[in-house]
Amino acid sequence: MSGTMHHKILCFGSLNIDHVYSVDHFVAKGETLSSQKLETFTGGKGLNQSVALARAGAETYHAGAIGPDGSFLLDMMKEAGVHTDYVTMIPDVHTGHAIIQRDKEGDNCILLYGGTNQLITKEQADSVLNHFSAGDYLVLQNEINQLPYIVEKAHVLGMTIVLNPSPMNEKVLQLPLDEIDIFLLNEVEAGQILGSHVSEGRELAAALRERFPNATVVLTLGGDGSVCVCSDGTFFQPAYKTHVADTTAAGDTYTGYFLASLLHGSSVANSMKAASAAASIACSRKGAAPSIPVEAEVTAFLNAQDS
């Protein structure tokens, strides 16, 4: 990735404390299950994507909210190179957190508690967005409140709005989706937005682009790679093979590296390549944000693939 970035990128999103329980299998209804291990990590889709953006070399600003128990999240983000001045501390409220079960195959299921992530105010949104302008990027997920207001205000400012509609629910469908410039999502999320039972990735991506003809659509397909439909055409990137230790932040890593590469002036195809490599590295490591590679690791990985 080379070139000079002229625009800033703001991730207005969640900050979570991840409690990860290692289990033989996911707990079933009525079942009491012992876990072999408990680990605590920094997490939240917003935090993960900010860390991925910063580690990929983008000038990254994070906006959100934490409680007194979440100060270590800011320390970790600063260490990764994220600007955290726009994160609000709310006393007497728990930081958002996740209870994650991780099974022997490295798959996970997640229970979220919103906490301070659900206490974003319009006043905070106004004061943060006033520091950004046309051409700057805004990255959003679905783990904070006030999303419709934030999207509308950013649209008026002329920002490039990126949406990762995860976790997917009816709130996403209430957003002004026509104002989204880049969708980064998986097949389940795309199908739910479309209300479609089309199961094949490329068809889903094409259908979503047809619904939102001015948007760039990037669809991640897990082990099958990723596909992008945009004004330049349709691009496919295979996934890089890796030993999977934990898939928790793979999608967030892909998002961060794809956007940072675009901001650096890379083509869509090369941005997908870098994102796929970064996600592959993240899958081979445990934890969410701690698993996200730095830019030099991704460059070395790609060089090794090409040699």
PDB file of all heavy atoms in Angstrom, residues 199-231:
ATOM      1  N   SER A 199     -28.997 -17.724  -2.615  1.00  0.00           N
ATOM      2  CA  SER A 199     -27.968 -18.180  -1.680  1.00  0.00           C
ATOM      3  C   SER A 199     -26.556 -18.028  -2.225  1.00  0.00           C
ATOM      4  O   SER A 199     -25.603 -18.070  -1.483  1.00  0.00           O
ATOM      5  CB  SER A 199     -28.209 -19.655  -1.312  1.00  0.00           C
ATOM      6  OG  SER A 199     -28.198 -20.437  -2.490  1.00  0.00           O
ATOM      7  N   GLU A 200     -26.417 -17.842  -3.532  1.00  0.00           N
ATOM      8  CA  GLU A 200     -25.076 -17.810  -4.120  1.00  0.00           C
ATOM      9  C   GLU A 200     -24.501 -16.393  -4.019  1.00  0.00           C
ATOM     10  O   GLU A 200     -25.150 -15.406  -4.332  1.00  0.00           O
ATOM     11  CB  GLU A 200     -25.141 -18.251  -5.586  1.00  0.00           C
ATOM     12  CG  GLU A 200     -23.835 -18.826  -6.102  1.00  0.00           C
ATOM     13  CD  GLU A 200     -22.877 -17.748  -6.593  1.00  0.00           C
ATOM     14  OE1 GLU A 200     -23.316 -16.815  -7.259  1.00  0.00           O
ATOM     15  OE2 GLU A 200     -21.687 -17.858  -6.258  1.00  0.00           O
ATOM     16  N   GLY A 201     -23.256 -16.315  -3.546  1.00  0.00           N
ATOM     17  CA  GLY A 201     -22.651 -15.036  -3.203  1.00  0.00           C
ATOM     18  C   GLY A 201     -22.677 -14.001  -4.307  1.00  0.00           C
ATOM     19  O   GLY A 201     -23.076 -12.862  -4.100  1.00  0.00           O
ATOM     20  N   ARG A 202     -22.254 -14.376  -5.506  1.00  0.00           N
ATOM     21  CA  ARG A 202     -22.157 -13.384  -6.582  1.00  0.00           C
ATOM     22  C   ARG A 202     -23.535 -12.864  -6.976  1.00  0.00           C
ATOM     23  O   ARG A 202     -23.688 -11.676  -7.288  1.00  0.00           O
ATOM     24  CB  ARG A 202     -21.440 -13.995  -7.788  1.00  0.00           C
ATOM     25  CG  ARG A 202     -19.986 -14.364  -7.472  1.00  0.00           C
ATOM     26  CD  ARG A 202     -19.281 -14.876  -8.704  1.00  0.00           C
ATOM     27  NE  ARG A 202     -18.132 -15.692  -8.361  1.00  0.00           N
ATOM     28  CZ  ARG A 202     -16.992 -15.694  -9.027  1.00  0.00           C
ATOM     29  NH1 ARG A 202     -16.834 -14.937 -10.070  1.00  0.00           N
ATOM     30  NH2 ARG A 202     -15.993 -16.468  -8.666  1.00  0.00           N
ATOM     31  N   GLU A 203     -24.534 -13.746  -6.963  1.00  0.00           N
ATOM     32  CA  GLU A 203     -25.901 -13.306  -7.276  1.00  0.00           C
ATOM     33  C   GLU A 203     -26.410 -12.327  -6.221  1.00  0.00           C
ATOM     34  O   GLU A 203     -27.059 -11.337  -6.539  1.00  0.00           O
ATOM     35  CB  GLU A 203     -26.848 -14.518  -7.333  1.00  0.00           C
ATOM     36  CG  GLU A 203     -26.659 -15.406  -8.534  1.00  0.00           C
ATOM     37  CD  GLU A 203     -27.572 -16.614  -8.468  1.00  0.00           C
ATOM     38  OE1 GLU A 203     -28.719 -16.483  -7.997  1.00  0.00           O
ATOM     39  OE2 GLU A 203     -27.131 -17.711  -8.861  1.00  0.00           O
ATOM     40  N   LEU A 204     -26.115 -12.622  -4.959  1.00  0.00           N
ATOM     41  CA  LEU A 204     -26.520 -11.724  -3.876  1.00  0.00           C
ATOM     42  C   LEU A 204     -25.873 -10.354  -4.026  1.00  0.00           C
ATOM     43  O   LEU A 204     -26.531  -9.322  -3.872  1.00  0.00           O
ATOM     44  CB  LEU A 204     -26.106 -12.322  -2.517  1.00  0.00           C
ATOM     45  CG  LEU A 204     -27.101 -13.200  -1.786  1.00  0.00           C
ATOM     46  CD1 LEU A 204     -26.436 -13.769  -0.537  1.00  0.00           C
ATOM     47  CD2 LEU A 204     -28.350 -12.412  -1.402  1.00  0.00           C
ATOM     48  N   ALA A 205     -24.580 -10.353  -4.318  1.00  0.00           N
ATOM     49  CA  ALA A 205     -23.865  -9.082  -4.474  1.00  0.00           C
ATOM     50  C   ALA A 205     -24.451  -8.275  -5.630  1.00  0.00           C
ATOM     51  O   ALA A 205     -24.661  -7.056  -5.513  1.00  0.00           O
ATOM     52  CB  ALA A 205     -22.379  -9.344  -4.699  1.00  0.00           C
ATOM     53  N   ALA A 206     -24.728  -8.954  -6.735  1.00  0.00           N
ATOM     54  CA  ALA A 206     -25.303  -8.270  -7.900  1.00  0.00           C
ATOM     55  C   ALA A 206     -26.692  -7.730  -7.589  1.00  0.00           C
ATOM     56  O   ALA A 206     -27.047  -6.614  -7.992  1.00  0.00           O
ATOM     57  CB  ALA A 206     -25.346  -9.235  -9.093  1.00  0.00           C
ATOM     58  N   ALA A 207     -27.485  -8.510  -6.851  1.00  0.00           N
ATOM     59  CA  ALA A 207     -28.840  -8.082  -6.501  1.00  0.00           C
ATOM     60  C   ALA A 207     -28.811  -6.872  -5.568  1.00  0.00           C
ATOM     61  O   ALA A 207     -29.630  -5.953  -5.685  1.00  0.00           O
ATOM     62  CB  ALA A 207     -29.598  -9.238  -5.847  1.00  0.00           C
ATOM     63  N   LEU A 208     -27.856  -6.862  -4.637  1.00  0.00           N
ATOM     64  CA  LEU A 208     -27.747  -5.731  -3.704  1.00  0.00           C
ATOM     65  C   LEU A 208     -27.304  -4.476  -4.457  1.00  0.00           C
ATOM     66  O   LEU A 208     -27.805  -3.380  -4.209  1.00  0.00           O
ATOM     67  CB  LEU A 208     -26.764  -6.071  -2.590  1.00  0.00           C
ATOM     68  CG  LEU A 208     -26.865  -5.232  -1.311  1.00  0.00           C
ATOM     69  CD1 LEU A 208     -28.240  -5.349  -0.668  1.00  0.00           C
ATOM     70  CD2 LEU A 208     -25.792  -5.655  -0.313  1.00  0.00           C
ATOM     71  N   ARG A 209     -26.392  -4.635  -5.399  1.00  0.00           N
ATOM     72  CA  ARG A 209     -25.948  -3.500  -6.216  1.00  0.00           C
ATOM     73  C   ARG A 209     -27.101  -2.967  -7.071  1.00  0.00           C
ATOM     74  O   ARG A 209     -27.238  -1.756  -7.292  1.00  0.00           O
ATOM     75  CB  ARG A 209     -24.778  -3.960  -7.089  1.00  0.00           C
ATOM     76  CG  ARG A 209     -24.403  -3.033  -8.218  1.00  0.00           C
ATOM     77  CD  ARG A 209     -23.598  -1.831  -7.776  1.00  0.00           C
ATOM     78  NE  ARG A 209     -23.259  -1.011  -8.942  1.00  0.00           N
ATOM     79  CZ  ARG A 209     -22.572   0.096  -8.926  1.00  0.00           C
ATOM     80  NH1 ARG A 209     -22.103   0.565  -7.784  1.00  0.00           N
ATOM     81  NH2 ARG A 209     -22.314   0.771 -10.022  1.00  0.00           N
ATOM     82  N   GLU A 210     -27.950  -3.878  -7.542  1.00  0.00           N
ATOM     83  CA  GLU A 210     -29.113  -3.465  -8.329  1.00  0.00           C
ATOM     84  C   GLU A 210     -30.074  -2.645  -7.469  1.00  0.00           C
ATOM     85  O   GLU A 210     -30.654  -1.654  -7.924  1.00  0.00           O
ATOM     86  CB  GLU A 210     -29.811  -4.721  -8.879  1.00  0.00           C
ATOM     87  CG  GLU A 210     -30.716  -4.456 -10.057  1.00  0.00           C
ATOM     88  CD  GLU A 210     -31.240  -5.755 -10.659  1.00  0.00           C
ATOM     89  OE1 GLU A 210     -30.429  -6.656 -10.946  1.00  0.00           O
ATOM     90  OE2 GLU A 210     -32.473  -5.861 -10.797  1.00  0.00           O
ATOM     91  N   ARG A 211     -30.227  -3.058  -6.216  1.00  0.00           N
ATOM     92  CA  ARG A 211     -31.101  -2.338  -5.280  1.00  0.00           C
ATOM     93  C   ARG A 211     -30.514  -0.967  -4.931  1.00  0.00           C
ATOM     94  O   ARG A 211     -31.234   0.004  -4.769  1.00  0.00           O
ATOM     95  CB  ARG A 211     -31.293  -3.179  -4.012  1.00  0.00           C
ATOM     96  CG  ARG A 211     -32.033  -2.488  -2.868  1.00  0.00           C
ATOM     97  CD  ARG A 211     -33.542  -2.490  -3.044  1.00  0.00           C
ATOM     98  NE  ARG A 211     -34.068  -3.832  -2.979  1.00  0.00           N
ATOM     99  CZ  ARG A 211     -34.430  -4.462  -1.852  1.00  0.00           C
ATOM    100  NH1 ARG A 211     -34.297  -3.858  -0.684  1.00  0.00           N
ATOM    101  NH2 ARG A 211     -34.916  -5.674  -1.904  1.00  0.00           N
ATOM    102  N   PHE A 212     -29.194  -0.911  -4.779  1.00  0.00           N
ATOM    103  CA  PHE A 212     -28.513   0.343  -4.416  1.00  0.00           C
ATOM    104  C   PHE A 212     -27.454   0.647  -5.488  1.00  0.00           C
ATOM    105  O   PHE A 212     -26.259   0.426  -5.289  1.00  0.00           O
ATOM    106  CB  PHE A 212     -27.860   0.209  -3.037  1.00  0.00           C
ATOM    107  CG  PHE A 212     -28.843  -0.155  -1.956  1.00  0.00           C
ATOM    108  CD1 PHE A 212     -28.864  -1.439  -1.429  1.00  0.00           C
ATOM    109  CD2 PHE A 212     -29.763   0.769  -1.483  1.00  0.00           C
ATOM    110  CE1 PHE A 212     -29.778  -1.788  -0.441  1.00  0.00           C
ATOM    111  CE2 PHE A 212     -30.682   0.432  -0.495  1.00  0.00           C
ATOM    112  CZ  PHE A 212     -30.696  -0.852   0.025  1.00  0.00           C
ATOM    113  N   PRO A 213     -27.896   1.159  -6.665  1.00  0.00           N
ATOM    114  CA  PRO A 213     -27.018   1.264  -7.831  1.00  0.00           C
ATOM    115  C   PRO A 213     -25.854   2.233  -7.674  1.00  0.00           C
ATOM    116  O   PRO A 213     -24.894   2.177  -8.446  1.00  0.00           O
ATOM    117  CB  PRO A 213     -27.963   1.710  -8.958  1.00  0.00           C
ATOM    118  CG  PRO A 213     -29.164   2.269  -8.275  1.00  0.00           C
ATOM    119  CD  PRO A 213     -29.277   1.550  -6.974  1.00  0.00           C
ATOM    120  N   ASN A 214     -25.907   3.113  -6.693  1.00  0.00           N
ATOM    121  CA  ASN A 214     -24.810   4.061  -6.498  1.00  0.00           C
ATOM    122  C   ASN A 214     -23.783   3.580  -5.476  1.00  0.00           C
ATOM    123  O   ASN A 214     -22.781   4.254  -5.225  1.00  0.00           O
ATOM    124  CB  ASN A 214     -25.356   5.426  -6.061  1.00  0.00           C
ATOM    125  CG  ASN A 214     -26.249   6.040  -7.120  1.00  0.00           C
ATOM    126  OD1 ASN A 214     -25.932   6.000  -8.305  1.00  0.00           O
ATOM    127  ND2 ASN A 214     -27.385   6.590  -6.715  1.00  0.00           N
ATOM    128  N   ALA A 215     -24.047   2.423  -4.879  1.00  0.00           N
ATOM    129  CA  ALA A 215     -23.181   1.929  -3.804  1.00  0.00           C
ATOM    130  C   ALA A 215     -22.187   0.884  -4.321  1.00  0.00           C
ATOM    131  O   ALA A 215     -22.451   0.177  -5.290  1.00  0.00           O
ATOM    132  CB  ALA A 215     -24.022   1.328  -2.680  1.00  0.00           C
ATOM    133  N   THR A 216     -21.050   0.817  -3.635  1.00  0.00           N
ATOM    134  CA  THR A 216     -20.107  -0.286  -3.827  1.00  0.00           C
ATOM    135  C   THR A 216     -20.509  -1.397  -2.858  1.00  0.00           C
ATOM    136  O   THR A 216     -20.729  -1.130  -1.680  1.00  0.00           O
ATOM    137  CB  THR A 216     -18.667   0.170  -3.530  1.00  0.00           C
ATOM    138  OG1 THR A 216     -18.263   1.102  -4.535  1.00  0.00           O
ATOM    139  CG2 THR A 216     -17.698  -1.008  -3.506  1.00  0.00           C
ATOM    140  N   VAL A 217     -20.634  -2.618  -3.348  1.00  0.00           N
ATOM    141  CA  VAL A 217     -21.052  -3.752  -2.516  1.00  0.00           C
ATOM    142  C   VAL A 217     -19.895  -4.738  -2.390  1.00  0.00           C
ATOM    143  O   VAL A 217     -19.396  -5.246  -3.404  1.00  0.00           O
ATOM    144  CB  VAL A 217     -22.279  -4.470  -3.118  1.00  0.00           C
ATOM    145  CG1 VAL A 217     -22.625  -5.720  -2.303  1.00  0.00           C
ATOM    146  CG2 VAL A 217     -23.472  -3.520  -3.187  1.00  0.00           C
ATOM    147  N   VAL A 218     -19.450  -4.958  -1.161  1.00  0.00           N
ATOM    148  CA  VAL A 218     -18.400  -5.954  -0.904  1.00  0.00           C
ATOM    149  C   VAL A 218     -19.005  -7.045  -0.036  1.00  0.00           C
ATOM    150  O   VAL A 218     -19.450  -6.787   1.082  1.00  0.00           O
ATOM    151  CB  VAL A 218     -17.186  -5.331  -0.197  1.00  0.00           C
ATOM    152  CG1 VAL A 218     -16.097  -6.386   0.000  1.00  0.00           C
ATOM    153  CG2 VAL A 218     -16.643  -4.144  -0.979  1.00  0.00           C
ATOM    154  N   LEU A 219     -19.032  -8.262  -0.580  1.00  0.00           N
ATOM    155  CA  LEU A 219     -19.660  -9.385   0.105  1.00  0.00           C
ATOM    156  C   LEU A 219     -18.585 -10.395   0.489  1.00  0.00           C
ATOM    157  O   LEU A 219     -17.863 -10.909  -0.373  1.00  0.00           O
ATOM    158  CB  LEU A 219     -20.688 -10.029  -0.826  1.00  0.00           C
ATOM    159  CG  LEU A 219     -21.705 -10.996  -0.221  1.00  0.00           C
ATOM    160  CD1 LEU A 219     -22.636 -10.265   0.737  1.00  0.00           C
ATOM    161  CD2 LEU A 219     -22.532 -11.629  -1.333  1.00  0.00           C
ATOM    162  N   THR A 220     -18.469 -10.681   1.787  1.00  0.00           N
ATOM    163  CA  THR A 220     -17.513 -11.693   2.233  1.00  0.00           C
ATOM    164  C   THR A 220     -18.211 -13.051   2.256  1.00  0.00           C
ATOM    165  O   THR A 220     -19.366 -13.164   2.675  1.00  0.00           O
ATOM    166  CB  THR A 220     -16.948 -11.358   3.624  1.00  0.00           C
ATOM    167  OG1 THR A 220     -18.027 -11.169   4.553  1.00  0.00           O
ATOM    168  CG2 THR A 220     -16.121 -10.080   3.575  1.00  0.00           C
ATOM    169  N   LEU A 221     -17.484 -14.076   1.798  1.00  0.00           N
ATOM    170  CA  LEU A 221     -18.068 -15.409   1.605  1.00  0.00           C
ATOM    171  C   LEU A 221     -17.381 -16.458   2.473  1.00  0.00           C
ATOM    172  O   LEU A 221     -17.351 -17.635   2.127  1.00  0.00           O
ATOM    173  CB  LEU A 221     -17.959 -15.811   0.128  1.00  0.00           C
ATOM    174  CG  LEU A 221     -18.407 -14.769  -0.904  1.00  0.00           C
ATOM    175  CD1 LEU A 221     -18.042 -15.212  -2.311  1.00  0.00           C
ATOM    176  CD2 LEU A 221     -19.913 -14.529  -0.793  1.00  0.00           C
ATOM    177  N   GLY A 222     -16.803 -16.030   3.599  1.00  0.00           N
ATOM    178  CA  GLY A 222     -16.118 -16.972   4.476  1.00  0.00           C
ATOM    179  C   GLY A 222     -14.950 -17.628   3.757  1.00  0.00           C
ATOM    180  O   GLY A 222     -14.148 -16.968   3.109  1.00  0.00           O
ATOM    181  N   GLY A 223     -14.889 -18.948   3.841  1.00  0.00           N
ATOM    182  CA  GLY A 223     -13.803 -19.693   3.219  1.00  0.00           C
ATOM    183  C   GLY A 223     -13.796 -19.634   1.704  1.00  0.00           C
ATOM    184  O   GLY A 223     -12.819 -20.020   1.059  1.00  0.00           O
ATOM    185  N   ASP A 224     -14.904 -19.132   1.113  1.00  0.00           N
ATOM    186  CA  ASP A 224     -14.978 -19.040  -0.350  1.00  0.00           C
ATOM    187  C   ASP A 224     -14.445 -17.719  -0.889  1.00  0.00           C
ATOM    188  O   ASP A 224     -14.441 -17.507  -2.113  1.00  0.00           O
ATOM    189  CB  ASP A 224     -16.427 -19.248  -0.820  1.00  0.00           C
ATOM    190  CG  ASP A 224     -16.915 -20.669  -0.566  1.00  0.00           C
ATOM    191  OD1 ASP A 224     -16.073 -21.588  -0.602  1.00  0.00           O
ATOM    192  OD2 ASP A 224     -18.118 -20.853  -0.314  1.00  0.00           O
ATOM    193  N   GLY A 225     -14.018 -16.812   0.000  1.00  0.00           N
ATOM    194  CA  GLY A 225     -13.423 -15.571  -0.475  1.00  0.00           C
ATOM    195  C   GLY A 225     -14.350 -14.380  -0.345  1.00  0.00           C
ATOM    196  O   GLY A 225     -15.142 -14.280   0.602  1.00  0.00           O
ATOM    197  N   SER A 226     -14.284 -13.477  -1.328  1.00  0.00           N
ATOM    198  CA  SER A 226     -15.118 -12.268  -1.296  1.00  0.00           C
ATOM    199  C   SER A 226     -15.372 -11.796  -2.716  1.00  0.00           C
ATOM    200  O   SER A 226     -14.616 -12.097  -3.646  1.00  0.00           O
ATOM    201  CB  SER A 226     -14.441 -11.169  -0.470  1.00  0.00           C
ATOM    202  OG  SER A 226     -13.119 -10.936  -0.908  1.00  0.00           O
ATOM    203  N   VAL A 227     -16.453 -11.046  -2.892  1.00  0.00           N
ATOM    204  CA  VAL A 227     -16.824 -10.509  -4.197  1.00  0.00           C
ATOM    205  C   VAL A 227     -17.204  -9.042  -4.029  1.00  0.00           C
ATOM    206  O   VAL A 227     -17.780  -8.657  -3.015  1.00  0.00           O
ATOM    207  CB  VAL A 227     -17.976 -11.331  -4.840  1.00  0.00           C
ATOM    208  CG1 VAL A 227     -19.230 -11.301  -3.989  1.00  0.00           C
ATOM    209  CG2 VAL A 227     -18.272 -10.861  -6.259  1.00  0.00           C
ATOM    210  N   CYS A 228     -16.828  -8.220  -4.998  1.00  0.00           N
ATOM    211  CA  CYS A 228     -17.178  -6.802  -4.970  1.00  0.00           C
ATOM    212  C   CYS A 228     -17.848  -6.427  -6.281  1.00  0.00           C
ATOM    213  O   CYS A 228     -17.346  -6.772  -7.357  1.00  0.00           O
ATOM    214  CB  CYS A 228     -15.930  -5.944  -4.760  1.00  0.00           C
ATOM    215  SG  CYS A 228     -16.232  -4.166  -4.866  1.00  0.00           S
ATOM    216  N   VAL A 229     -18.985  -5.732  -6.179  1.00  0.00           N
ATOM    217  CA  VAL A 229     -19.659  -5.196  -7.361  1.00  0.00           C
ATOM    218  C   VAL A 229     -19.684  -3.676  -7.205  1.00  0.00           C
ATOM    219  O   VAL A 229     -20.208  -3.152  -6.225  1.00  0.00           O
ATOM    220  CB  VAL A 229     -21.093  -5.741  -7.507  1.00  0.00           C
ATOM    221  CG1 VAL A 229     -21.700  -5.282  -8.822  1.00  0.00           C
ATOM    222  CG2 VAL A 229     -21.113  -7.263  -7.430  1.00  0.00           C
ATOM    223  N   CYS A 230     -19.087  -2.984  -8.181  1.00  0.00           N
ATOM    224  CA  CYS A 230     -18.994  -1.525  -8.089  1.00  0.00           C
ATOM    225  C   CYS A 230     -19.000  -0.932  -9.498  1.00  0.00           C
ATOM    226  O   CYS A 230     -19.170  -1.653 -10.483  1.00  0.00           O
ATOM    227  CB  CYS A 230     -17.739  -1.116  -7.330  1.00  0.00           C
ATOM    228  SG  CYS A 230     -16.194  -1.645  -8.119  1.00  0.00           S
ATOM    229  N   SER A 231     -18.800   0.372  -9.598  1.00  0.00           N
ATOM    230  CA  SER A 231     -18.852   1.037 -10.905  1.00  0.00           C
ATOM    231  C   SER A 231     -17.754   0.532 -11.843  1.00  0.00           C
ATOM    232  O   SER A 231     -17.869   0.647 -13.064  1.00  0.00           O
ATOM    233  CB  SER A 231     -18.746   2.547 -10.728  1.00  0.00           C
ATOM    234  OG  SER A 231     -17.585   2.874  -9.997  1.00  0.00           O
TER     235      SER A 231
END
